[in-house]
């Protein structure tokens, strides 16, 4: 008798958004630090991975970019880094049997995401586990895909074959209104024969709100890199943040064109050998958030494995029971490890953070503004008008440690966490027992 498994990735793909303001509210990319989350940014947000049969929150996607190649692109090798990072990479399905599932992705099939899906399905077939967020992001960057907040879906049948019609329906339901903006990679694997047949299928999806012109994955110290990102309709106010191999993230001078489509352009130098992470942020109507990321390795070969998830100083929260206290301890542990003065808890900021965490969960939206004002408006309304600089990180993850790591991993969010100008912080959280998620908000003041 056929046995079917549908798995939801139990991990959070964290992305953070950071914002700060001096007599106003401006994204972190205007500072030498960065972060925001929603799916993680100086609002620091984290996005959960999901699977086809047990979908979690919907993703964000967009239409095809204006600089798409004219023909189908070969899939990047599974074993080596792509020469360039860019999107989209139009592709055809390697297995026509998966066409019905792929049709749920209104934004089409992407060759780099297909390469990622091929690796995911092989691992899923052997372990019944979907990749952790950092591993998934590593596979994307190695394949040359720049999108953030990817999601994975997995289905497996022992003793039979997958009902692709049902799976396609589940995936489409998970995408919801974002289906037309969702781009995917789809891969399946069948082993054995007859009653011993086992079939696995994996979908890797991204909601596209921007696309990236080709950018090299390797470079030279002192060399200059040009960035050209295309924003989709309704997305504005692009900014660029660069995280060097050592030191704090910094804002990169950039420009956003007017008219449609909007282009975000920037030029920056690789100041030292090692791994550089460049992040593009933009406003999707709910505040600034990361929309693209790329890695450039200067004078060293790209890593063959995903970076360790542990964050400097994070063990400071290991023995702390309450979620907000643990997040606070980990945050100050990080600052201590970097030689930055610790933050003090502020009851007013705590209240603002708690209210925002609850509001995000209630609306099912990880963002800086869910209809109750941006961070500055909410903090000032609560009596925080004396602060000269404000910031916010938001995240959603399967636990508080994952949320903390997600924020740290995002160049823009880490900027808020390590900004020495901040002296106070408020932390709020809400547990969603049904989904096994925690929603987190951090409000910063200085």
């Amino acid at each position: 008798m056929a046995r079917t498994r549908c798995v939801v990735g139990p991990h959070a793909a964290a992305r953070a958004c950071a914002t700060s303001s001096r007599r106003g509210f401006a994204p972190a990319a205007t500072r030498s630090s960065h972060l925001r989350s929603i799916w993680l940014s100086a609002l620091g947000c984290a996005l959960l991975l999901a699977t086809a049969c047990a979908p979690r929150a919907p993703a964000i996607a967009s239409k095809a970019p204006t600089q798409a190649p004219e023909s189908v692109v070969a899939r990047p090798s599974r074993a080596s880094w792509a020469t360039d990072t860019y999107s989209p990479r139009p592709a055809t399905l390697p297995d026509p049997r998966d066409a019905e599932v792929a049709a749920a992705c209104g934004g089409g099939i992407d060759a780099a995401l297909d390469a990622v899906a091929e690796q995911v399905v092989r691992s899923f077939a052997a372990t019944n586990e979907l990749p952790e967020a950092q591993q998934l992001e590593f596979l994307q960057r190695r394949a040359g895909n720049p999108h953030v907040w990817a999601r994975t879906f997995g289905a497996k049948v022992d003793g039979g074959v997958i009902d692709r019609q049902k799976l396609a329906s589940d995936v489409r339901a998970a995408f919801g209104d974002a289906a037309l903006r969702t781009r995917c990679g789809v891969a399946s694997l069948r082993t054995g024969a007859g009653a011993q047949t086992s079939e696995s299928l994996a979908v890797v999806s991204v909601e596209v709100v921007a696309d990236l012109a080709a950018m090299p994955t390797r470079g030279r110290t002192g060399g200059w890199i040009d960035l050209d990102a295309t924003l989709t309709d309704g997305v504005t106010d692009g900014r660029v943040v660069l995280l060097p191999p050592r030191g704090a993230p910094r804002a990169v001078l950039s420009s956003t064109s007017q008219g449609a489509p909007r282009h975000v352009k920037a030029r920056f130098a690789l100041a030292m050998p090692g791994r550089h992470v460049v992040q593009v942020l933009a406003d999707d109507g709910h505040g600034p958030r990361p929309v693209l990321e790329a890695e450039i390795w200067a004078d060293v070969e790209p890593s063959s494995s995903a970076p360790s998830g542990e964050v400097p100083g994070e063990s400071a929260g290991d023995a702390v029971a309450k979620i907000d206290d643990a997040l606070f301890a980990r945050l100050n542990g990080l600052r201590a490890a970097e030689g930055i003065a610790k933050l003090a808890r502020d009851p007013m900021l705590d209240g603002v953070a708690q209210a925002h965490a609850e509001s995000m969960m209630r609306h099912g939206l990880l963002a800086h503004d869910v209809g109750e004002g941006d961070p500055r408006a909410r903090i000032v309304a609560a009596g925080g008008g004396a602060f000269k600089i404000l910031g916010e990180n938001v995240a959603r993850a399967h636990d508080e440690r994952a949320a903390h790591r997600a924020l740290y991993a995002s160049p823009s969010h880490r900027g808020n966490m390590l900004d020495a100008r901040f002296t106070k912080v408020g932390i709020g959280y809400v547990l969603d027992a049904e989904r096994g998620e925690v929603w987190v908000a951090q409000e910063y003041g200085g």
Side-chain angles (χ1 to χ4, degrees), residues 151-395:
R151 306 169 68 192
T152 57
F153 301 75
K156 184 176 182 180
V157 172
D158 293 323
V161 295
I162 292 170
D163 182 345
R164 283 168 169 75
Q165 184 176 13
K166 174 62 167 62
L167 182 60
S169 177
D170 289 337
V171 171
R172 193 174 290 109
F175 294 156
D177 294 341
L180 293 177
R181 306 184 305 274
T182 299
R183 200 175 293 158
C184 296
V186 181
S188 58
L189 180 66
R190 185 180 295 183
T191 59
Q196 302 303 312
T197 297
S198 178
E199 187 173 42
S200 301
L201 188 148
V203 177
V204 177
S205 70
V206 295
E207 285 190 61
V208 182
V209 294
D211 277 300
L212 185 69
M215 178 179 294
T217 56
R218 295 171 175 82
R220 294 282 187 184
T221 301
W224 289 87
I225 302 294
D226 291 308
L227 179 150
D228 183 358
T230 304
L231 305 181
T232 60
D233 291 345
V235 181
T236 62
D237 200 19
R239 290 165 173 75
V240 179
V241 176
L242 179 67
L243 178 65
R246 297 184 304 279
R250 66 177 180 85
V252 175
L253 184 64
S254 62
S255 64
T256 303
S257 65
Q258 299 303 309
R262 288 185 171 90
H263 284 261
V264 180
K265 295 190 176 185
R267 195 165 195 252
F268 57 90
L270 305 176
M272 63 186 77
R275 172 180 177 258
H276 299 255
V277 181
V278 61
Q279 183 180 75
V280 179
L281 300 98
D283 192 326
D284 61 357
H286 298 284
R289 52 152 289 195
V291 295
L292 297 167
E293 283 185 13
E295 295 186 14
I296 306 164
W297 297 74
D299 294 324
V300 296
E301 278 300 302
S303 174
S304 60
S305 60
S308 167
E310 186 167 354
V311 172
E314 78 169 41
S315 60
D318 287 355
V320 180
K322 285 189 63 182
I323 288 177
D324 58 330
D325 291 342
L327 284 166
F328 178 60
R330 296 190 198 285
L331 177 57
N332 271 337
L334 168 63
R335 289 172 71 96
E338 298 292 341
I340 300 170
K342 293 183 178 182
L343 298 166
R345 289 288 286 272
D346 183 283
M348 182 275 295
L349 292 177
D350 275 343
V352 174
Q354 184 62 35
H356 191 57
E358 293 172 1
S359 184
M360 288 191 298
M361 190 182 83
R362 187 167 59 251
H363 288 86
L365 177 64
L366 187 63
H368 293 291
D369 188 345
V370 294
E372 297 164 357
D374 64 30
R376 181 178 185 276
R378 288 183 276 109
I379 292 172
V380 170
F387 287 117
K388 291 184 171 59
I389 181 171
L390 301 170
E392 179 178 77
N393 280 353
V394 298

